[in-house]
């Protein structure tokens, strides 16, 4: 039994048809006959989720940037780069013969073109003004249902929760200081993450207080001048890579930067690259990296440079 394009197009009006087709195709006549749907993911949150469900996408956008920003889960060999997020290469996508295309809401403007290639669904995590993590969990389940991996989705969510709990165990001796979590943008501005960010859930589960209590926008972050980090002078500063080239070096020469209490007192830690606008896998990676940094010596400062946003 095969997944035909005709069958999938017939299911456009009711995409709940897809998991039944997938389940039937997996049953087959035997192990050798089982197939999995071919999915192109035009946003990294769905790409990383599919990998963790054991169904890596056949194509994603901007592979070099995925490797620089998302890092984990690593892309399996053979995943094809289909171009830019807002301008995917339709010819390459057609050659991949996907059974399903997954997009974020920002791609609705090109949805009609994508539908000419394969049935297209949009997963929504950001833009609601609510905390992102519950939406990420809901969309993990929804994506699992669409591709016939509901059991795998539940298993993964349970593993993710256990991994965050293990990360919390590393912080039993933490001194209780709140944290400002930022991306460096230039030598005068940072992107600071607030209560609607994906990482807010990780902070709460780790027993940490977010020092940023201001607005955090529909994507969970706002751009502010570095002087705004004075809002809580007792906070520890956590900067997450990557940063635009040369920013860290320029910050070291900034009088304002050097006089921030967190810098003057050696209360800054640096994390490796973690994508702030992803899904559950990025939350787990953030919790792991943060607990290792704070649990392994919270007052040691580090700097990490990388690609800019």
């Amino acid at each position: 039994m095969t997944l035909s394009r005709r069958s999938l197009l017939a299911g456009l009006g009711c995409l709940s048809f897809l998991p039944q087709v997938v389940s039937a195709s997996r049953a087959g006549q035997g192990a050798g006959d089982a197939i999995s749907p071919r999915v192109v993911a035009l946003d990294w949150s769905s790409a990383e989720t599919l990998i963790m469900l054991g169904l890596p996408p056949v194509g994603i956008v901007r592979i070099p940037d995925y490797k620089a920003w998302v890092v984990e889960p690593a892309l399996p060999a053979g995943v094809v780069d289909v171009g830019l997020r807002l301008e995917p290469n339709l010819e390459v996508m057609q050659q991949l013969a996907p059974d399903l295309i997954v997009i974020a809401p920002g791609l609705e403007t090109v949805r009609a073109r994508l539908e000419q290639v394969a049935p297209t669904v949009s997963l929504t995590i950001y833009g609601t003004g609510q905390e992102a993590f519950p939406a990420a969990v809901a969309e993990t389940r929804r994506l699992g249902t669409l591709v016939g991996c509901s059991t795998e989705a539940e298993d993964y969510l349970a593993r993710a929760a256990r991994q965050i709990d293990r990360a919390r165990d590393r912080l039993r001796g933490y001194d209780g200081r709140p944290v400002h979590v930022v991306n460096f943008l230039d030598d005068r501005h940072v992107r600071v993450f607030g209560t609607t960010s994906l990482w807010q859930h990780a902070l709460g589960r780790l027993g940490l207080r977010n020092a940023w209590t201001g607005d955090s926008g529909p994507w969970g972050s706002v751009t502010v001048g570095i002087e705004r980090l004075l809002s809580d002078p007792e906070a520890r500063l956590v900067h997450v890579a990557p940063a635009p080239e040369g920013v860290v070096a320029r910050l070291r020469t900034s009088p304002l930067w050097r006089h921030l209490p967190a810098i003057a007192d050696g209360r800054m830690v640096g994390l490796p690259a973690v994508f702030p606008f992803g899904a559950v896998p990025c939350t787990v990676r953030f919790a792991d990296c943060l607990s290792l940094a704070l649990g392994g010596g919270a007052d040691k400062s580090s700097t990490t440079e990388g690609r800019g946003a």
Side-chain angles (χ1 to χ4, degrees), residues 79-168:
V79 178
V80 175
D81 194 318
V82 298
L84 301 176
R85 188 176 69 90
L86 295 178
E87 296 181 10
N89 189 316
L90 298 185
E91 182 177 350
V92 171
M93 292 173 61
Q94 287 173 334
Q95 292 172 354
L96 290 174
D99 300 305
L100 183 69
I101 299 171
V102 185
I103 64 173
L107 278 174
E108 288 293 338
T109 55
V110 297
R111 183 176 187 138
R113 295 168 57 203
L114 298 175
E115 294 277 13
Q116 297 173 13
V117 178
T120 301
V121 296
S122 175
L123 299 188
T124 303
I125 297 177
Y126 304 93
T128 64
Q130 304 297 313
E131 187 179 338
F133 187 79
V137 170
E139 292 296 58
T140 298
R141 290 187 169 119
R142 180 173 172 235
L143 185 57
T145 298
L146 286 171
V147 298
C149 292
S150 294
T151 299
E152 290 84 350
E154 294 302 327
D155 289 346
Y156 170 65
L157 291 173
R159 292 198 311 273
R162 291 193 298 269
Q163 192 167 346
I164 295 176
D165 286 342
R166 288 194 296 270
R168 181 188 177 111

Side-chain angles (χ1 to χ4, degrees), residues 30 41-42 53 77 83 85 104 110 118 131 181 185 190 212 219 222 224-225 251-252 264 266 278 292 305:
L42 297 186
L53 297 184
R85 188 176 69 90
V110 297
E131 187 179 338
V181 183
L185 299 180
V190 296
W212 183 258
W219 286 81
V222 289
V224 299
L251 281 170
R252 292 195 188 107
L292 287 169
E305 294 193 50

Side-chain angles (χ1 to χ4, degrees), residues 156-172 205-206 284 287-292 295:
Y156 170 65
L157 291 173
R159 292 198 311 273
R162 291 193 298 269
Q163 192 167 346
I164 295 176
D165 286 342
R166 288 194 296 270
R168 181 188 177 111
D169 290 341
R170 300 187 188 111
L171 296 176
R172 288 177 178 172
R205 286 283 293 274
L206 294 175
V284 174
D288 267 344
C289 292
L290 183 58
S291 66
L292 287 169

Side-chain angles (χ1 to χ4, degrees), residues 17 21 31 44 47 49 90 95 99 101 148 156 179 263-264 272 298:
F17 176 77
V21 174
W44 295 337
T49 301
L90 298 185
Q95 292 172 354
D99 300 305
I101 299 171
Y156 170 65
V179 293
I263 304 305

